[in-house]
């Protein structure tokens, strides 16, 4: 083979190798670009957002959860649906009272919703339902925040799956399958997601140094957010309340009927003890001596407290419908708190101990809150107007 032919073949082989390398590089660039674009496209879908929401709840990842859920907007809407449902079911309010309290609930809406967001955030991070302190503790706003949370059904609602995620442009819808655990009622929440995308090519420039000087290179930059879809509303929460609340109320009514005889019997006995207690405290001088205080303490420890325990034992023997478990637990808590208040009061009498008297008063205040909560559940009240009359 002469040199000319050899050189021609060598040049042809070089061209072929270069072409093959170029083709491989082109395919590699195409593959990487497709992979990146596919990843970006995947992370820009409502399906991805719903997956991340589920993962964040499972993993207690509050930052990711809040990145994909507009919790304040959802809570504000839910608050309106919940309070509307409560007022609809409270048949004891006159029209003027209803308007007055509806306006009041509008005024406290920001504080209550902020508290609800705090509760949900704490649930995600700790796994526990912890109510906020400060202004929502007790009844400082004139409402029972604990009871409001219970009536929202949020604590007894379990997510079982997500289906039918449909992209509709800048908005998307999804079905969240849930079950209300007390009544075992299945339901499908309809939710809306919105696209807050910031994706696209943007004019820009970049500075770089060369030979000790700074140069500016104009060009295009591709910008995109980590995720652009956010869950912004639960569209049929009101229907969820309207479906489940009557079922729970039916169980509550059945439990109240089943325990009515027990409650009436012991209320009669406590009314007698209340009269006896008033008589036993009377003095001519206004100051009780040790013997008088001792007799009262003995009555507390040997009559009143045993009566409370007997009542609770009889209540515990009654079968509790699933929807009435919260009411039954409140009654048990109220009984225990009442016993503690009486025990501290008896200690104060026997030892003439002001600290024990103060503790008894503080515990009694907790008891009144619990008893008022029970009263509101029994009467299906939307608002609390007065403390109940209690022995």
């Amino acid at each position: 083979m002469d040199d000319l032919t050899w050189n021609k073949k060598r040049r042809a082989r070089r061209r072929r190798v270069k072409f093959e390398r170029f083709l491989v590089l082109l395919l590699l660039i195409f593959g990487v670009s497709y992979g990146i674009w596919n990843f970006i496209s995947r992370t820009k879908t409502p399906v991805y957002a719903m997956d991340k929401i589920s993962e964040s709840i499972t993993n207690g990842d509050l930052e990711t959860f809040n990145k994909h859920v507009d919790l304040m907007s959802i809570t504000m809407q839910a608050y309106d649906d919940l309070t509307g449902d409560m007022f609809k079911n409270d048949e004891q309010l006159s029209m003027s009272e209803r308007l007055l309290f509806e306006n009041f609930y509008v005024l406290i809406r920001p504080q209550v919703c902020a508290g609800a967001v705090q509760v949900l955030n704490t649930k995600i991070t700790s796994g526990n339902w912890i109510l906020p302190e400060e202004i929502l503790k007790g009844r400082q706003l004139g409402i029972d925040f604990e009871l409001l949370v219970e009536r929202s059904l949020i604590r007894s609602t379990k997510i079982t799956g997500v289906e039918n995620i449909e992209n509709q442009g800048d908005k998307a819808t999804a079905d969240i399958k849930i079950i209300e655990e007390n009544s075992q009622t299945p339901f499908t929440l309809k939710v809306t997601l919105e696209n807050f995308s910031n994706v696209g090519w943007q004019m820009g420039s970049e500075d770089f140094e060369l030979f000790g000087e700074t140069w500016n290179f104009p060009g295009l930059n591709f910008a995109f957010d980590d995720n652009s879809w956010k869950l912004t509303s639960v569209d049929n929460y009101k229907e969820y309340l309207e479906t489940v609340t009557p079922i729970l109320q039916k169980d509550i009514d059945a439990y109240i009927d089943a325990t009515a005889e027990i409650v009436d019997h012991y209320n009669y006995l406590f009314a007698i003890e209340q009269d006896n207690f008033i008589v036993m405290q009377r003095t001519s001088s206004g100051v009780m001596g040790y013997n008088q205080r001792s007799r009262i303490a003995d009555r507390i420890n040997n009559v009143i407290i045993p009566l409370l325990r007997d009542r609770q034992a009889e209540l515990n023997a009654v079968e509790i419908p699933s929807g009435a478990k919260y009411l039954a637990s409140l009654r048990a808590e109220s009984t225990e708190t009442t016993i503690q208040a009486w025990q501290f009061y008896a200690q104060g009498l026997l030892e003439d101990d002001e600290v024990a008297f103060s503790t008894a008063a503080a515990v009694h205040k907790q008891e009144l809150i619990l008893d008022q909560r029970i009263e509101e559940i029994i009467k299906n009240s939307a608002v609390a107007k007065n403390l109940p009359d209690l022995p």
Side-chain angles (χ1 to χ4, degrees):
M1 181 183 297
D2 57 33
D3 291 341
L4 180 60
T5 303
W6 170 255
N7 289 330
K8 285 182 178 180
K9 288 186 176 181
R10 188 173 60 179
R11 285 195 295 269
R13 185 167 58 251
R14 287 176 178 173
R15 286 195 297 270
R16 187 174 63 256
V17 170
K18 287 182 178 179
F19 176 76
E20 289 173 352
R21 289 177 177 174
F22 174 76
L23 184 61
V24 170
L25 180 62
L26 188 63
L27 290 174
L28 181 61
I29 293 173
F30 175 78
V32 172
S33 300
Y34 177 78
I36 294 173
W37 177 254
N38 188 55
F39 173 76
I40 293 173
S41 300
R42 166 82 176 103
T43 61
K44 291 298 174 182
T45 64
V47 174
Y48 179 82
M50 292 302 297
D51 287 345
K52 297 303 287 184
I53 292 170
S54 298
E55 289 176 14
S56 66
I57 294 173
T58 302
N59 300 329
D61 184 353
L62 183 59
E63 181 179 355
T64 300
F65 179 82
N66 285 327
K67 188 181 294 183
H68 302 298
V69 179
D70 187 350
L71 196 53
M72 181 55 78
S73 294
I74 293 171
T75 303
M76 287 281 196
Q77 175 200 3
Y79 177 84
D80 295 339
D81 290 339
L82 174 60
T83 52
D85 185 72
M86 288 165 54
F87 280 107
K88 182 188 72 173
N89 291 314
D90 188 342
E91 299 177 354
Q92 301 180 68
L93 293 174
S94 66
M95 185 56 66
S96 59
E97 288 175 329
R98 186 181 300 273
L99 290 174
L100 175 66
F101 285 112
E102 283 178 350
N103 290 333
F104 169 71
Y105 268 64
V106 171
L107 288 175
I108 63 174
R109 183 175 183 251
Q111 294 93 331
V112 174
C113 289
V117 169
Q118 182 181 340
V119 169
L120 291 167
N121 285 340
T122 304
K123 169 62 177 174
I124 292 170
T125 54
S126 70
N128 299 316
W129 294 105
I130 300 175
L131 299 186
E133 298 289 328
E134 303 158 353
I135 196 169
L136 289 173
K137 185 177 182 180
R139 292 177 180 265
Q140 295 185 58
L141 278 181
I143 65 162
D144 188 334
F145 185 73
E146 151 72 22
L147 185 54
L148 197 69
V149 171
E150 179 66 22
R151 284 174 165 172
S152 73
L153 305 180
I154 186 65
R155 292 190 295 203
S156 59
T157 298
K158 180 181 179 181
I159 297 175
T160 58
V162 179
E163 298 178 352
N164 303 327
I165 303 174
E166 297 183 5
N167 193 332
Q168 302 169 355
D170 288 336
K171 290 190 176 183
T173 58
D175 293 345
I176 299 180
K177 298 292 184 179
I178 60 172
I179 186 168
E180 200 286 315
E181 295 182 298
N182 288 328
S183 64
Q184 289 296 300
T185 303
F187 194 81
T188 300
L189 289 176
K190 306 285 186 180
V191 302
T192 295
L193 298 93
E194 294 186 44
N195 187 1
F196 297 92
S197 177
N198 186 29
V199 179
W201 293 98
Q202 301 174 0
M203 292 295 298
S205 61
E206 186 174 341
D207 293 338
F208 64 95
E209 289 189 6
L210 184 63
F211 304 125
E213 295 187 23
T214 300
W215 301 77
N216 184 270
F217 183 76
L220 293 174
N221 295 320
F222 187 74
F224 63 92
D225 299 325
D226 179 45
N227 183 264
S228 52
W229 287 95
K230 209 167 193 179
L231 199 158
T232 56
S233 69
V234 179
D235 303 319
N236 63 337
Y237 175 63
K238 182 179 180 182
E239 287 78 8
Y240 177 47
L241 293 172
E242 291 173 344
T243 299
V244 176
T245 301
I247 298 173
L248 297 176
Q249 190 60 49
K250 184 178 179 181
D251 281 357
I252 290 171
D253 292 341
Y255 174 69
I256 292 170
D257 290 341
T259 57
E261 186 175 340
I262 298 171
V263 172
D264 290 344
H265 171 67
Y266 280 95
N267 280 348
Y268 171 75
L269 296 179
F270 288 139
I272 294 174
E273 290 305 317
Q274 186 179 48
D275 292 339
N276 291 336
F277 189 76
I278 293 171
V279 172
M280 292 177 71
Q281 289 188 102
R282 289 175 182 166
T283 64
S284 57
S285 63
V287 178
M288 292 188 293
Y290 176 78
N291 289 337
Q292 185 179 10
R293 296 200 310 270
S294 181
R295 287 194 300 272
I296 295 173
D298 183 71
R299 188 78 181 179
I300 291 171
N301 289 321
N302 296 307
V303 178
I304 296 177
I305 290 178
L307 278 174
L308 286 165
R309 287 181 172 145
D310 289 344
R311 181 185 66 174
Q312 190 58 46
E314 291 190 34
L315 289 174
N316 291 342
V318 176
E319 183 178 355
I320 304 169
S322 296
K325 287 181 178 179
Y326 181 66
L327 174 57
S329 68
L330 284 177
R331 279 179 166 175
E333 185 180 358
S334 172
T335 298
E336 187 58 35
T337 305
T338 305
I339 290 172
Q340 290 177 8
W342 280 118
Q343 287 172 334
F344 280 115
Y345 189 76
Q347 178 185 336
L349 289 171
L350 290 172
E351 301 175 7
D352 197 16
D353 185 350
E354 289 299 326
V355 174
F357 284 133
S358 297
T359 304
V363 176
H364 180 60
K365 184 177 180 181
Q366 296 174 17
E367 173 211 333
L368 290 177
I369 292 173
L370 290 169
D371 288 339
Q372 184 170 353
R373 189 175 297 156
I374 292 168
E375 188 79 1
E376 290 169 16
I377 293 174
I378 291 174
K379 293 184 176 180
N380 205 17
S381 301
V383 293
K385 292 179 285 185
N386 299 293
L387 284 170
D389 295 324
L390 299 169

